[in-house]
Amino acid sequence: MEFKPNIVGFACHWCTYAGADLAGSLRLKYPPSIKLIRVPCSGRIEPEYIIQALANGADGVLVGGCHFGDCHYKDGNYKTARRMKQVEEMIKELGVEPGRFRWEWISGSEGQKFAEVVTEFTETLKELGPNPLKGGN
Amino acid sequence: MADKLKFAFLLAGGCAGCEMSLVDISEKLVDALEHLEVVFWAPTVADVKYKDLEAMPDKSIDLAFVDGMIRNSENEHMVKVLRDKAKILVAFGACATLGSIAGMANMHTKEELFKQAYQDTFSTDNPDGVYPTPEYLLDGKYDLTIPEFLPEVKVIDEVVPVEYYVGGCPPHPDFVAAAVEAVIAGNLPPASGKAVCDVCERNPRNQGTDRFLVEEVYRTSEKAPEDGVCLLQQGIICFGPFTQGDCGCSCPKVGIPCRGCGGPIPGVKDYGARAMSAIGSILGSEEAVEQLMQKYPVLAKFYYRYSLPSSLIERKKRAIKKG
Ligand code: SF4
Ligand code: SF4
Ligand code: SF4
Ligand code: FES
């Protein structure tokens, strides 16, 4: 059977979640691999959530927020950047393949970008195969 | 007065510093011994053997402490035996609860570790490259065995259930004394939940000022800390905000940043991830983050200094291997 990656997505309410909504209303095609969790701002996404998702066997984790200058709370996404840069590095050190984590700025008008990112990410994960941390719970 | 509480202390894969901390409560320990009967304290203090513990009836010990992590087959076996014999088991100190410093070994292979320990260290002279092996035949007739070095460091609660956790490398004697008194009085307290920052005199909040973002990161060797000012605010990365403060803020008090030996405050699932989150929010720019990553080139060893084996990813890796 073909491997269908399971992506946990954390999306800020004001931009990336709105972008996902737009992708839906525009009927853009993208794989049904992502489960989106809406958060008020990407600055609210704790590295702990990402690590927990990966440890629980998510094949990939996507973090989405507003572009710089657009964050509804002014600087939430700057904080996101300062954390995610480090998350990227640390999960690699812990032995998680770097391709399993991705963070992107996607605005409310970028439905197209949302669909593209999810499609591309799903392809990468298909190549990587299932998360070795899956199961064993 | 009721019968004395039967008490045991086992050193697993630790350095015995935790036991020193219990001894350091000095007169209070003498007082406590009126209420405690030490039935087992090995391999460090009492003249008892492992087989004596093995011979005790199950659940015959009221309270047992274990310090140190699971590093070899002997540690694993003895912790299981102790669990059977004890009604209450306390994981005592950073090694037992989180894996501590030696837990960073999980980022290296056994070959790397042995080479470092038995070959490359300054004080080692090993021209024949002799490494420990679990079995060795001496003079062709003596069959010698030593415990087997396990592939990874494990924490105590991965091997057996644990009732209480005490953080610290080692736990501060004042806190140990309070815990021992609470045990004797029969009311073990819930975790205090106070972070190192809460009890730190340098805390801007305790001084009525606000925190600001940090633009420059310094290692401890690069800057003499200013008195009375929060270390983190001076760019000396301190783990006080998310570390349990039962030590009474021992390190920042003397100008050394907290590195997290007290373990996480309640509610934290993954110490390193939480540490990264908090430090990431106090750094003022991506440049500051880059500086930090340059100065601490292995982030996992920085943020999980005392807790790597207890991290969610590490635990999961081992759970899967075990199947
Ligand atoms: S926690 Fe620290 S003091 Fe205690 S045994 Fe481990 S290394 Fe030694
Ligand atoms: S960060 Fe460190 S120095 Fe600053 S208040 Fe907290 S414990 Fe004290
Ligand atoms: S300040 Fe931090 S590192 Fe120092 S003893 Fe306390 S908990 Fe441990
Ligand atoms: S509201 Fe979108 S990143 Fe802050």
Side-chain angles (χ1 to χ4, degrees), chain B residues 196-197 200-204 211 229-233 238-241 249 252 258:
Chain B
V196 176
C197 284
C200 179
E201 282 167 8
R202 297 173 182 265
N203 191 338
R211 284 197 179 271
V229 182
C230 169
L231 298 168
L232 194 45
Q233 298 284 239
C238 178
F239 291 174
C249 195
C258 173

Side-chain angles (χ1 to χ4, degrees), chain B residues 11-21 67-69 92-97 99-102 166-171 261 306:
Chain B
L11 170 64
C15 75
C18 286
E19 291 169 51
M20 284 308 299
S21 220
D67 64 332
M69 82 287 287
F92 192 71
C95 285
T97 51
S100 200
I101 298 285
V166 177
C169 177
C261 85
Y306 286 95

Side-chain angles (χ1 to χ4, degrees), chain B residues 133-190:
Chain B
T133 50
E135 280 182 61
Y136 182 71
L137 195 62
L138 183 69
D139 297 340
K141 51 183 169 174
Y142 303 108
D143 202 1
L144 306 180
T145 61
I146 56 169
E148 186 191 349
F149 188 87
L150 299 175
E152 287 119 351
V153 168
K154 288 185 273 196
V155 289
I156 304 298
D157 72 3
E158 246 177 289
V159 177
V160 295
V162 166
E163 274 84 22
Y164 289 96
Y165 300 84
V166 177
C169 177
H172 192 285
D174 289 349
F175 178 64
V176 177
V180 169
E181 279 164 10
V183 166
I184 290 169
N187 62 357
L188 272 172

Side-chain angles (χ1 to χ4, degrees), chain B residues 85-120:
Chain B
K85 309 300 172 192
K87 290 183 192 136
I88 294 178
L89 183 64
V90 180
F92 192 71
C95 285
T97 51
L98 304 168
S100 200
I101 298 285
M104 284 189 276
N106 286 2
M107 295 186 70
H108 299 273
T109 61
K110 176 179 155 184
E111 288 65 35
E112 283 173 326
L113 297 169
F114 274 28
K115 186 162 176 297
Q116 181 74 28
Y118 300 109
Q119 196 78 57
D120 294 349

Side-chain angles (χ1 to χ4, degrees), chain A residues 107-135:
Chain A
S107 78
S109 59
E110 291 176 320
Q112 185 67 40
K113 178 167 179 189
F114 179 83
E116 281 166 16
V117 166
V118 175
T119 310
E120 218 180 86
F121 195 15
T122 307
E123 283 313 310
T124 310
L125 293 172
K126 276 188 183 161
E127 274 164 40
L128 281 175
N131 181 354
L133 296 178
K134 212 189 286 282

Side-chain angles (χ1 to χ4, degrees), chain A residues 46-48 51-52 54-57 68 79 81-83 85-87 89-91 93-96 132-137, chain B residues 107 268-270 273-274 276-277 280-281 283-286 289-290 292-293 297-300 303-304 308 312-313 316-317 320:
Chain A
E46 294 282 340
E48 249 171 317
I51 294 218
Q52 204 177 352
L54 290 167
N56 283 343
F68 285 145
K79 199 197 250 181
R82 300 196 299 264
R83 289 173 173 166
K85 253 180 119 79
Q86 298 186 68
V87 170
E89 175 61 24
M90 193 164 81
I91 58 175
E93 292 164 5
L94 293 174
V96 175
L133 296 178
K134 212 189 286 282
N137 276 328
Chain B
M107 295 186 70
V268 174
K269 290 204 173 94
D270 189 281
R274 179 62 69 91
M276 168 190 287
S277 170
S281 342
L283 295 177
S285 61
E286 287 197 49
V289 173
E290 258 155 42
L292 175 117
M293 290 170 68
V298 184
L299 284 181
Y303 287 129
Y304 290 109
L308 186 72
L312 291 175
I313 290 188
K316 188 58 182 288
K317 278 193 213 158
I320 286 181

